[in-house]
């Protein structure tokens, strides 16, 4: 029990995160000119808070050091029709991590 508690304390940012996989259906820039939202095939979330105008889409965090690389990876995967996996915060739907599949 003690090890589990220690692990939970070390990884609080991923406590409510999960992986979502599929092809990118759309990449959009929000009306605010700052938010990059992502529509993914098979995604069923309808309560995302990262950009309330589109509550069914995930968002990139523009403040992350790897923002440009993440955006590039998504554009490339969309253009090539390749699947990606996104780990999102289940409360806000902001992307924490990603990888491109085969």
């Amino acid at each position: 029990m003690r090890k589990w508690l220690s692990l939970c304390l070390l990884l609080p940012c991923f406590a409510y995160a999960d992986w979502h996989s599929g092809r990118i259906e759309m990449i959009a820039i929000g009306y605010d000119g700052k938010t990059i939202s992502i529509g993914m095939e098979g995604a069923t979330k309808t309560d995302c808070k990262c950009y309330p105008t589109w509550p069914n889409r995930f968002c990139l965090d523009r403040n992350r050091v790897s923002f440009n690389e993440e955006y590039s990876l998504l554009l490339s995967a969309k253009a090539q029709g390749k699947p990606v996996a996104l780990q999102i915060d289940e409360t806000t739907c902001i992307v924490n991590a990603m990888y491109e599949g085969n």
Side-chain angles (χ1 to χ4, degrees):
M1 181 67 169
R2 188 173 246 181
K3 285 183 180 180
W4 177 251
L5 181 59
S6 297
L7 181 62
C8 288
L9 294 174
L10 289 173
L11 301 173
C13 63
F14 297 115
Y16 299 106
D18 198 7
W19 287 95
H20 299 264
S21 300
R23 286 181 170 63
I24 301 298
E25 291 181 335
M26 76 171 333
I27 299 172
I29 299 171
Y31 298 116
D32 62 4
K34 297 178 183 178
T35 305
I36 304 297
S37 76
I38 306 149
M40 178 181 276
E41 71 179 10
T44 58
K45 291 194 66 68
T46 58
D47 59 346
C48 291
K49 295 171 180 40
C50 62
Y51 194 67
T53 304
W54 296 322
N56 62 334
R57 299 192 194 144
F58 309 137
C59 300
L60 292 182
D61 180 356
R62 201 175 271 278
N63 295 318
R64 284 173 54 93
V65 172
S66 59
F67 172 82
N68 289 333
E69 290 83 2
E70 294 168 348
Y71 190 35
S72 294
L73 186 146
L74 291 174
L75 290 171
S76 174
K78 168 104 174 87
Q80 297 177 41
K82 290 187 175 182
V84 295
L86 306 175
Q87 185 198 46
I88 67 157
D89 178 304
E90 292 296 318
T91 304
T92 62
C93 294
I94 293 178
V95 175
N96 290 325
M98 68 176 66
Y99 67 89
E100 183 179 300
N102 295 334

